[in-house]
Amino acid sequence: MNRIYLLVFLVSIYLILDIYVFVAVKSLSDGLSPIWKRALFTFYWTISILSLVGVLLYRQIDPKQFQDLRLYITTFFFVLFIGKVFATIFLMLEDIRRGVTWITNLFPFVEEKHSTSRSDFMRKTAIVAGAVPVAAMSFGIISGAHDYRVRKRVITSPNLPKAFDGIRVAQISDIHTGSFFNKTAVEGGVDMLLEQKPDIAFFTGDLVNNKSEEAKDYLDIFKRINAPLGVFSVMGNHDYGDYTNWSSESAKQKDIQDLHDMHKYMGYDLMLNENRSIKVDNEEIAILGCENWGSGRFAKYGDLKKTVQGSEDQPFKILLSHDPSHWDAQIKPDYRDIDLTLSGHTHGMQFGIEIGNFRWSPVQYRYKQWADLHKEDNQYLYVNRGYGFIGYPGRIGILPEITILELKSS
């Protein structure tokens, strides 16, 4: 019942925005011929109605057979909705100005002023304000979703054994196979990773959005990722099926096991609160894999105490932990011997600005460390911006990432 109320509320808001914006469109079309007016109005309402009908029928569409269609419907609705919100803000500002003017004109000592040109300007500004986010988000889908970038950083540590000096580490995170719509582009990203010839590769969680079946069509693509010292992985918050409804707890656990088996099929060594050692020329480092642990409302399946058990004597430790909030909450205060933590999770919110060393995204108000390399004392954290996307099927400013870290012994 709550979902019905929510749907009614959203539809009502959408229709109000629709009518509000249409009044501005209608006003600005006064100079058009009747034929062009009719064509404009027909186009406007056809797009709006199709978007609304798609959302109303969304739950009746079989996600197994028409997963792409469901994605297109939600994306189409979301993009239009955001555009109309922006347009409405400007229209409301103009209506407020006109209201204030009308009130002041009630007083005889106030000179009456009419500003039709100003009203027309604000309507045009509103239409442009609505068009800009629609254009930007459309470009973010067409171009940004698969515009993979290789980001390289150097990690220097006195604890790294000399045998590992110069080792190249590849990291990807947040694949979210359930959101993909361009298999060729996804495979192109894997080609970019392999061109870097990493010595070891890591995947830091979120293979799927909700269910293991989402990954089936992409397993052979990500299976191609390999490295001489191995490929290691952990689970992300979306990999536990916590955001979908299951017929039973056993069905949920069966799906989690299926996901574990998929990691094995791809040749990934999935670590569930455990660790491995890697040896080069009789020297070793430890690879730690912690299950998802996130501050706030996110699930806490991780157990660091269990994860590090048996690795205490290793000189250099790399921890895979999906959520970067784990670093401040537990890793830094209690596990000072973990030299490098690799995380993902934030996606950089798939929206922001990156120019040179300047970075901004709304996600920074939720996560202190939301992208790139961070260091405190001798401990490092790298937060990958994500390989895939979820919700909005694109990226604006914060592009999908393949991380290459070179380990140096100081």
Side-chain angles (χ1 to χ4, degrees):
M1 187 62 69
N2 288 336
R3 287 182 176 178
I4 295 176
Y5 291 148
L6 178 60
L7 181 61
V8 170
F9 174 76
L10 289 176
V11 169
S12 300
I13 295 296
Y14 185 80
L15 289 173
I16 291 171
L17 295 176
D18 244 343
I19 295 170
Y20 208 32
V21 174
F22 178 72
V23 170
V25 172
K26 187 173 183 295
S27 175
L28 293 173
S29 67
D30 288 342
L32 298 176
S33 66
I35 294 177
W36 280 107
K37 271 189 179 183
R38 192 177 301 114
L40 177 63
F41 297 165
T42 300
F43 176 78
Y44 180 91
W45 286 111
T46 298
I47 294 297
S48 292
I49 291 171
L50 284 175
S51 174
L52 191 57
V53 169
V55 169
L56 292 174
L57 296 178
Y58 179 83
R59 294 185 63 81
Q60 279 67 53
I61 300 173
D62 186 348
K64 293 183 179 180
Q65 296 186 35
F66 302 103
Q67 179 176 318
D68 288 346
L69 177 60
R70 286 164 63 99
L71 176 63
Y72 298 149
I73 286 173
T74 54
T75 301
F76 189 47
F77 180 84
F78 179 69
V79 170
L80 286 180
F81 186 83
I82 294 299
K84 288 172 182 177
V85 167
F86 273 79
T88 299
I89 291 172
F90 282 84
L91 291 171
M92 290 182 67
L93 290 174
E94 171 58 14
D95 284 346
I96 292 171
R97 184 197 67 79
R98 292 171 62 189
V100 171
T101 301
W102 180 82
I103 292 172
T104 57
N105 286 340
L106 294 176
F107 299 93
F109 52 83
V110 178
E111 182 181 353
E112 184 175 354
K113 295 181 180 180
H114 297 283
S115 183
T116 303
S117 61
R118 180 184 293 177
S119 295
D120 286 344
F121 173 77
M122 286 301 293
R123 292 191 188 101
K124 292 176 182 177
T125 302
I127 298 302
V128 172
V132 167
V134 170
M137 293 176 73
S138 298
F139 181 78
I141 296 168
I142 296 169
S143 176
H146 299 292
D147 189 7
Y148 302 105
R149 299 299 171 94
V150 176
R151 295 186 180 272
K152 298 180 179 181
R153 299 290 183 266
V154 176
I155 305 292
T156 303
S157 173
N159 299 326
L160 184 71
K162 294 296 182 182
F164 288 86
D165 186 62
I167 287 288
R168 289 165 59 82
V169 172
Q171 180 201 5
I172 59 171
S173 190
D174 300 87
I175 292 175
H176 289 287
T177 50
S179 298
F180 285 146
F181 57 86
N182 188 335
K183 188 177 289 188
T184 301
V186 172
E187 191 159 14
V190 172
D191 290 337
M192 290 176 65
L193 186 154
L194 294 175
E195 287 170 3
Q196 299 299 314
K197 294 181 171 54
D199 298 292
I200 187 170
F202 298 121
F203 168 54
T204 46
D206 278 0
L207 180 62
V208 298
N209 295 342
N210 295 301
K211 296 183 177 181
S212 64
E213 63 187 25
E214 299 165 10
K216 289 180 179 178
D217 292 339
Y218 292 90
L219 294 179
D220 287 333
I221 292 178
F222 290 102
K223 183 180 181 180
R224 294 176 54 224
I225 297 176
N226 63 83
L229 297 179
V231 182
F232 300 86
S233 60
V234 291
M235 300 274 279
N237 57 299
H238 281 268
D239 294 326
Y240 296 91
D242 289 340
Y243 308 126
T244 191
N245 295 320
W246 298 94
S247 59
S248 65
E249 180 61 25
S250 60
K252 178 181 178 180
Q253 294 304 317
K254 170 64 166 58
D255 194 75
I256 293 174
Q257 183 58 54
D258 288 344
L259 196 68
H260 292 178
D261 293 340
M262 288 177 175
H263 281 251
K264 184 177 181 180
Y265 173 81
M266 292 187 294
Y268 296 7
D269 186 351
L270 178 64
M271 294 182 291
L272 305 170
N273 294 327
E274 50 193 325
N275 62 77
R276 308 282 188 265
S277 63
I278 297 178
K279 181 179 289 188
V280 174
D281 295 339
N282 294 319
E283 293 189 296
E284 295 184 356
I285 64 172
I287 308 298
L288 317 175
C290 190
E291 295 201 57
N292 189 77
W293 194 102
S295 62
R297 62 184 177 87
F298 290 103
K300 295 173 175 57
Y301 295 100
D303 185 338
L304 263 182
K305 184 177 180 180
K306 181 179 178 183
T307 301
V308 303
Q309 189 173 1
S311 69
E312 292 83 1
D313 295 333
Q314 296 285 11
F316 188 86
K317 300 178 180 65
I318 300 175
L319 170 68
L320 311 185
S321 181
H322 178 72
D323 191 320
S325 64
H326 201 184
W327 200 54
D328 275 335
Q330 289 189 337
I331 298 164
K332 282 197 306 175
D334 303 323
Y335 296 87
R336 304 293 296 174
D337 60 341
I338 292 178
D339 302 274
L340 170 63
T341 300
L342 302 179
S343 299
H345 182 63
T346 73
H347 299 211
M349 206 172 174
Q350 298 168 211
F351 173 79
I353 301 170
E354 290 200 82
I355 303 174
N357 292 324
F358 175 78
R359 288 194 300 272
W360 176 88
S361 170
V363 78
Q364 70 188 51
Y365 304 113
R366 170 64 177 85
Y367 290 94
K368 180 181 176 182
Q369 299 90 10
W370 60 274
D372 223 280
L373 185 63
H374 304 267
K375 181 184 179 184
E376 290 193 23
D377 298 325
N378 286 323
Q379 289 185 289
Y380 289 91
L381 166 68
Y382 192 91
V383 185
N384 182 284
R385 294 160 179 81
Y387 189 91
F389 43 84
I390 191 171
Y392 166 58
R395 287 175 175 263
I396 302 173
I398 306 297
L399 300 175
E401 175 180 350
I402 298 161
T403 307
I404 301 295
L405 303 175
E406 183 179 2
L407 305 185
K408 301 293 290 183
S409 178
S410 61

